[in-house]
Amino acid sequence: MTPEITPRSWAMVGSLGLVWGATFLFIEIALQGITPFWLAAYRIGFAALLTLAVWALRGGALWLTVKRNWPSLILIGVLSSGLPFMLLGWGQQYATSGFAGVSMAAVALMVLPLAHVLVPGERMTARRALGFAVGFAGVVVLIGPEALQASGDAMEPWGRLACLGAACCYAISSVAMRRLPPIDAIGLAAVPLVIGALFVLPLAWVQEGPPPLPQGQTLVVLAVLGLVPTAGANLLRVLVIRSAGPVFMSLTNYQVPLWSVALGVIVLGEPLRASLLVALVLILAGVFLSQWGALRRLFLR
């Protein structure tokens, strides 16, 4: 099935970039009152319960034809939320947040060759590859050279490997999601979250002990994280991947650090660096190059 990129696709990808960019603010607050693995478990748990309720109200359908692919669906459940949430939470204890940001932007570069081989209609061209490389350079400029500087922690190489592992999880799950047979979008948002929750819960219990009881602000922040950037954004992610394809969806990963920095300037009053403007130009140029055909259809239809 050839990817179909419409104005709605652009709106959804833009919304995802903003929502996931703002997520770092909430995670920073939540970590003041809960450990990393239980943060992942509560976040996925809230999202799974909410999405399951919506799915049940819509009839609870999953596979839309006789074709089934449960192994891929289980793999998607583990790789799209449970494992990467845990890897990032653990890895950022030792690696810098800047390196984690560059790792997330690298998802777009990982998706490109995977989709070229595994997804019909997602051929890698020289222009598309150049566009993604320019966009990635924009993210590196945005975060700055400190992203690649060593912190001196003996565990830092393992922390960096965990961040890159999370990026690989997102890339593989996006391509696997696109290759699924016809499936209900709400079900595809709900079932992998349940699988992710079942994966995270026992590991969090073994690693960090019995589940803590979050209090006050932490509980509210966890609920928001489960509702907006996990449940709501996960549904948008499913819709984009199933319609416009994983390569188009990977444009979100360039936006996330851009929005994160921009919101720091707007909400937290952080200084506006010149690198933000340079990065914005590079990222937009990368999008223009890699998505020239879709942009031409959008504005010249």
Side-chain angles (χ1 to χ4, degrees):
M1 182 172 59
T2 302
E4 182 182 357
I5 300 173
T6 65
R8 183 181 176 213
S9 305
W10 286 100
M12 288 191 290
V13 161
S15 299
L16 283 170
L18 174 59
V19 168
W20 282 337
T23 299
F24 293 106
L25 297 174
F26 290 96
I27 289 177
E28 185 174 345
I29 297 171
L31 283 173
Q32 297 173 11
I34 195 168
T35 51
F37 283 13
W38 278 116
L39 167 60
Y42 274 103
R43 179 181 173 184
I44 298 172
F46 274 125
L49 290 174
L50 176 64
T51 314
L52 276 174
V54 175
W55 185 41
L57 290 174
R58 287 175 52 88
L62 186 60
W63 305 106
L64 301 181
T65 66
V66 294
K67 292 183 179 180
R68 306 282 192 273
N69 193 341
W70 282 104
S72 288
L73 190 60
I74 293 172
L75 179 69
I76 290 166
V78 173
L79 297 184
S80 65
S81 57
L83 183 56
F85 283 10
M86 295 177 71
L87 285 172
L88 283 173
W90 184 85
Q92 284 187 246
Q93 296 178 101
Y94 309 108
T96 63
S97 59
F99 185 86
V102 172
S103 299
M104 292 303 98
V107 172
L109 301 181
M110 295 177 184
V111 165
L112 199 58
L114 287 172
H116 175 80
V117 174
L118 299 173
V119 181
E122 294 279 21
R123 305 295 294 175
M124 180 167 57
T125 63
R127 189 194 70 245
R128 177 175 277 185
L130 177 62
F132 277 91
V134 170
F136 182 76
V139 174
V140 174
V141 169
L142 172 69
I143 298 174
E146 64 272 13
L148 303 179
Q149 291 178 356
S151 66
D153 194 300
M155 291 292 290
E156 183 176 35
W158 294 105
R160 289 186 169 191
L161 187 61
C163 292
L164 290 171
C168 288
C169 289
Y170 287 132
I172 295 170
S173 66
S174 293
V175 173
M177 191 177 292
R178 175 66 178 175
R179 287 174 54 84
L180 287 173
I183 189 170
D184 178 74
I186 306 296
L188 182 54
V191 174
L193 282 173
V194 174
I195 295 169
L198 293 175
F199 175 80
V200 169
L201 285 169
L203 291 177
W205 198 305
V206 169
Q207 180 66 28
E208 299 176 347
L213 182 61
Q215 300 294 323
Q217 175 180 272
T218 301
L219 184 61
V220 172
V221 172
L222 288 172
V224 171
L225 283 170
L227 173 65
V228 182
T230 310
N234 186 55
L235 176 57
L236 284 183
R237 176 174 180 260
V238 167
L239 293 173
V240 171
I241 291 173
R242 295 291 290 174
S243 60
V247 172
F248 183 78
M249 172 62 207
S250 67
L251 295 177
T252 305
N253 298 97
Y254 290 153
Q255 299 178 61
V256 169
L258 185 65
W259 276 114
S260 180
V261 173
L263 289 171
V265 173
I266 297 169
V267 178
L268 302 179
E270 296 174 349
L272 176 61
R273 296 177 293 159
S275 60
L276 176 62
L277 302 178
V278 175
L280 178 60
V281 171
L282 287 172
I283 290 172
L284 291 177
V287 172
F288 180 82
L289 286 170
S290 64
Q291 298 297 324
W292 165 246
L295 285 167
R296 185 174 56 186
R297 289 191 298 272
L298 177 64
F299 292 108
L300 298 180
R301 60 172 56 203

